Amino acid sequence: MSTNPRVFDIRGQSLKLETEADVEPLLEGYDPKYIEEIYLGGNTIGVGASKAFAAFIDRTESLSIADLSNIFVGRLISEIPLALANLCTSLLPKQTLTVIDLSDNAFGERSIAPLLPLLSHNRFQTLRLKNNGLGPAAGIRIANALRESAKLTKAEGKVSNLRTVICGQNRLENGSASAWAAAFEEHGTLEEVRLPQNGIRMAGIRELARGLKKNPNLRYLDLQDNTFTDDTDEGLSAVDAWADVLASLPALQTFNVSDCVLSHGGEVPSVLQKLASGSNPRLVDLQLQNNNLDASSVAVLADAISTHLNTLKRLDLQDNDADEDDEVYDTLREALTARGGRLLVTEEDEEAEGEQEQEQEQEQEQEKVAAPPAGVDEASELADLMGKAHLE
C-alpha cells in the first residue's frame, strides 16, 4: 500500500490483471472515500479486472486524477471496448475529476464509443490522448464530444473548465481538423494545446488557426511535425493564417512549430515576421527546428531579439538552411545568454541543454530526499483515522 492513502498507484508494474480476484489484493487497505488520484498505467487490464477497478472508482468521493494510460497492451480488440466501458462509466459522474489520461492505448475508431459520453458530460480540466491510433474518423467523434461538453456547460450558465488538450501522434489529418477547430472555439478557455505529428496539412492548419483564435489565454501551443506550406496553389495560406491569428493570443509563451515546413522556397515566413513585430509579448520558448529557414529569416529574429522578442529565453533553430557559423547567430546567442536563455543551433547545443536539465533534475531529487516528504503528517493522521474507523 502507498504511504499516501489518497493515492492509488500501480504504474509501470507490468501486471497482467485478468479477473476481479487479481485486483482485490491490490486494493486491500485503501478506503475509496479518501482516494483523490488513481494511476493504473503500465499494466494490462482485462474485462474482469476493469470491473473491480470500476467498482472501486464508483465509491470514490473526491477523485481528481485518473491515469488510464497504456492499460491495454496485448488485449484483443473485442476486450478493449468492454473494459473501457466499465472504467468510463464509473468515471462519468465524478464531478471532481480534473485530469483524464488515456494515452498509449490502441483505440482506433472501433474502441472509442465508451469514451464519448465521458468526454461530452464531464467538466474536467485536462485531457491527454496521445498515441491512440485514432485517425480522422475517430478524431471527429472525439472532437464533437468535446464540443458537446462545452455546449452543455454553456446551457447550464457556466464557463468550461477545459484548459489542456493533448492529442498528438493520432493521424488526425485534415479530415478532423474542422471538428477540432469547432471544439476549441466552443470552449474558448484553452491554455495548452498539443497536436504534434498528426499529418495535418495546410487546409487543416488554417482551420485550427480559426478555432484557436478564440482562446486568448492560450499559453502553450505545439503543432510540431504538421505541414504549413508546399508547392501547390494553397502555398503559404496556412502560414499567413497563423500570422493573422498570433495577435489574438497575447498570453502565448511556448510556440512549437518545428518540422512544419514554414518556408518552402526560402521566403521569410509571414508568421516569423509577425512574431518579430511583437505580436506575442510574453513569448518565452520558440521552436523553429527544420523549417527551411535561411539567413534572411534568422536575421529577422536577430533584429528583434532585444526589442519585440525581449522576453524570449529559448530559441531552437536546429536543422535550418542558414550557415551555423553565420554571425547573425552570434547576435541571437549573446542576447539570449545575457538574459539566462539559450540558443539551439547545433547538436552540441542540444546536448548541453540536456545535460543542464539532467543536472537540475538530480539537484531536485536530492532536495526531495533531504527534505521530509510533503504531507507526511497529514497522510499519517488520515491513515490513523481510517484505522480507527475500521476498529469501530
Side-chain angles (χ1 to χ4, degrees):
M1 177 177 172
S2 166
T3 57
N4 188 344
R6 290 188 171 90
V7 178
F8 177 81
D9 189 351
I10 57 170
R11 277 177 292 187
Q13 296 187 29
S14 300
L15 302 174
K16 188 172 184 180
L17 304 172
E18 300 287 352
T19 66
E20 295 180 60
D22 292 337
V23 174
E24 288 173 1
L26 301 174
L27 299 176
E28 188 174 341
Y30 287 94
D31 186 337
K33 180 171 66 174
Y34 298 107
I35 291 293
E36 297 174 3
E37 302 176 18
I38 290 180
Y39 300 92
L40 305 182
N43 303 283
T44 178
I45 298 174
V47 177
S50 72
K51 290 180 180 178
F53 284 124
F56 184 77
I57 292 171
D58 281 339
R59 291 179 287 146
T60 62
E61 298 178 1
S62 54
L63 185 63
S64 176
I65 297 175
D67 175 7
L68 309 181
S69 62
N70 192 24
I71 58 171
F72 295 126
V73 172
R75 294 295 168 184
L76 299 173
I77 193 64
S78 58
E79 292 181 279
I80 295 175
L82 298 175
L84 186 61
N86 291 332
L87 295 168
C88 288
T89 300
S90 66
L91 291 171
L92 184 57
K94 303 301 176 183
Q95 293 299 305
T96 56
L97 195 62
T98 61
V99 178
I100 303 172
D101 191 348
L102 289 151
S103 299
D104 300 314
N105 290 309
F107 294 147
E109 188 180 6
R110 294 176 292 181
S111 301
I112 64 165
L115 179 59
L116 301 180
L118 176 62
L119 298 185
S120 60
H121 288 85
N122 204 296
R123 301 185 68 242
F124 49 83
Q125 295 177 13
T126 298
L127 172 64
R128 297 182 182 136
L129 269 173
K130 179 176 69 69
N131 187 33
N132 299 105
L134 296 180
I140 289 172
R141 296 173 69 188
I142 295 288
N144 286 345
L146 290 176
R147 186 183 184 190
E148 180 65 18
S149 73
K151 289 181 175 181
L152 292 173
T153 299
K154 288 179 180 179
E156 295 174 359
K158 300 176 182 178
V159 176
S160 168
N161 285 339
L162 191 63
R163 299 293 183 270
T164 299
V165 173
I166 298 172
C167 193
Q169 298 170 258
N170 268 310
R171 298 184 298 104
L172 297 179
E173 302 176 1
N174 282 1
S176 69
S178 293
W180 284 99
F184 295 151
E185 181 176 359
E186 197 72 47
H187 282 278
T189 55
L190 292 166
E191 297 178 1
E192 179 176 350
V193 174
R194 303 193 190 203
L195 301 173
Q197 300 177 29
N198 272 308
I200 304 171
R201 297 182 64 80
M202 285 77 69
I205 295 296
R206 291 196 305 270
E207 286 295 303
L208 293 177
R210 175 182 59 79
L212 289 170
K213 181 180 181 178
K214 303 298 184 180
N215 291 265
N217 295 322
L218 190 66
R219 295 182 295 103
Y220 193 113
L221 178 59
D222 181 358
L223 297 173
Q224 181 181 11
D225 202 9
N226 294 290
T227 303
F228 278 61
T229 69
D230 67 5
D231 58 359
T232 67
D233 291 340
E234 290 184 272
L236 305 176
S237 59
V239 174
D240 292 340
W242 271 98
D244 292 340
V245 161
L246 284 173
S248 301
L249 306 175
L252 191 65
Q253 296 178 10
T254 297
F255 190 29
N256 184 356
V257 281
S258 289
D259 306 299
C260 285
V261 200
L262 291 184
S263 176
H264 191 270
E267 74 284 348
V268 177
S270 56
V271 70
L272 216 61
Q273 295 172 339
K274 185 66 72 171
L275 289 167
S277 73
S279 59
N280 304 90
R282 299 181 184 178
L283 192 65
V284 175
D285 186 354
L286 179 57
Q287 300 174 44
L288 299 167
Q289 186 177 156
N290 191 28
N291 273 304
N292 303 329
L293 304 177
D294 63 15
S296 58
S297 290
V298 179
V300 168
L301 297 172
D303 290 343
I305 194 63
S306 297
T307 54
H308 296 307
L309 293 175
N310 60 359
T311 59
L312 198 64
K313 297 291 288 290
R314 183 179 185 275
L315 176 59
D316 189 347
L317 286 167
Q318 295 179 83
D319 302 318
N320 280 293
D321 294 345
D323 192 319
E324 293 177 358
D325 296 323
D326 196 305
E327 63 181 17
V328 73
Y329 283 124
D330 295 334
T331 302
L332 288 168
R333 196 180 303 277
E334 289 172 7
L336 289 167
T337 301
R339 66 183 70 151
R342 183 179 293 277
L343 173 67
L344 281 69
V345 179
T346 66
E347 290 184 6
E348 289 77 11
D349 293 331
E350 187 173 31
E351 290 172 1
E353 181 183 53
E355 291 173 359
Q356 184 181 47
E357 291 175 349
Q358 187 174 17
E359 290 174 1
Q360 291 173 345
E361 289 174 1
Q362 290 174 347
E363 290 175 1
Q364 291 171 357
E365 287 299 320
Q366 290 172 356
E367 291 174 0
K368 287 180 181 178
V369 172
V376 164
D377 293 340
E378 184 183 1
S380 298
E381 182 179 348
L382 183 55
D384 290 342
L385 288 173
M386 289 168 61
K388 290 177 181 177
H390 286 308
L391 288 174
E392 291 172 358

